[in-house]
Amino acid sequence: MGYAPPHHAGENRHPDNEFSIPASAVYNQAGIPMISGSATNPKLTEQGFKTTFRVVARDDKQGAALANFAAGPLKAKSVAVIDDRTPYGQGLADEFEKFAKEKGMKVVGREFTNDKATDFTAISAVTVAAFASLEISSHTEQFIVAALRSAGALAVSLVAEVDGRVVGHIAFSPVTMSDGTKGWYGLGP
């Protein structure tokens, strides 16, 4: 087991699921509250620790919300899913894919990369193809995604399609709040 300093009032500094889940056991054992603003894996709070809290939606809730949006307002019939294999990216992509299938959408592709990869040809091609026929597109989405990736700021990318026509593209990127708080994700491009 890990170490928690005596007389410690609380903890909220772990950046993601990879560290938050094991740390929560240490804090629980020491009776120290842990409040996460970034760990989205359902396991964090399903452990049943009375000292563990989160202020961000779980992967299953975010995935369901994204699938509902794709199936509802976007009226997507098919989608392609791309994730970076980080704990956040993979967890959210897995949940989105599961709920998209439940909503009757066809998952036409699942692309993977990682935060160390340098060849993004397949992902760029999917993005270019997704926006090629859209008159409202400036056709720079692949450059936005590439810039976010180069900056280490791209966690998840989703493309939605209806009747063979692309109707949306979303990506999640880490953001810093105006007060300097980190551990949140923004939706774009």
Side-chain angles (χ1 to χ4, degrees):
M1 219 39 156
Y3 168 77
H7 311 295
H8 195 69
E11 186 60 54
N12 69 354
R13 67 181 169 154
H14 300 290
D16 57 34
N17 301 315
E18 182 180 6
F19 301 104
S20 295
I21 293 172
S24 64
V26 174
Y27 299 128
N28 181 64
Q29 185 178 25
I32 297 171
M34 177 183 153
I35 303 168
S36 175
S38 58
T40 57
N41 188 314
K43 292 177 186 173
L44 177 67
T45 49
E46 287 177 350
Q47 298 174 100
F49 298 148
K50 294 181 190 274
T51 57
T52 304
F53 306 92
R54 77 170 91 231
V55 294
V56 63
R58 300 162 28 140
D59 289 336
D60 54 344
K61 301 302 180 190
Q62 291 182 42
L66 289 168
N68 284 332
F69 180 73
L74 293 179
K75 300 186 185 335
K77 301 289 184 220
S78 58
V79 293
V81 181
I82 305 168
D83 82 71
D84 67 356
R85 287 300 194 197
T86 62
Y88 175 73
Q90 184 176 358
L92 181 56
D94 289 346
E95 291 296 333
F96 172 81
E97 183 173 356
K98 178 177 84 175
F99 285 105
K101 288 176 180 175
E102 286 179 14
K103 290 284 182 185
M105 287 179 270
K106 179 180 178 186
V107 177
V108 296
R110 178 80 186 251
E111 296 288 335
F112 306 100
T113 186
N114 65 60
D115 58 352
K116 307 289 187 274
T118 57
D119 182 6
F120 299 100
T121 307
I123 292 172
S124 182
V126 167
T127 305
V128 169
F131 291 91
S133 64
L134 284 182
E135 293 177 20
I136 61 169
S137 172
S138 63
H139 306 290
T140 59
E141 290 81 7
Q142 71 275 19
F143 302 120
I144 295 168
V145 173
L148 288 168
R149 185 181 304 108
S150 293
L154 183 63
V156 177
S157 180
L158 303 171
V159 179
E161 191 178 289
V162 175
D163 298 328
R165 189 170 107 311
V166 174
V167 295
H169 175 256
I170 58 175
F172 283 90
S173 303
V175 296
T176 301
M177 305 305 279
S178 60
D179 67 356
T181 304
K182 295 184 179 188
W184 292 90
Y185 288 83
L187 175 65

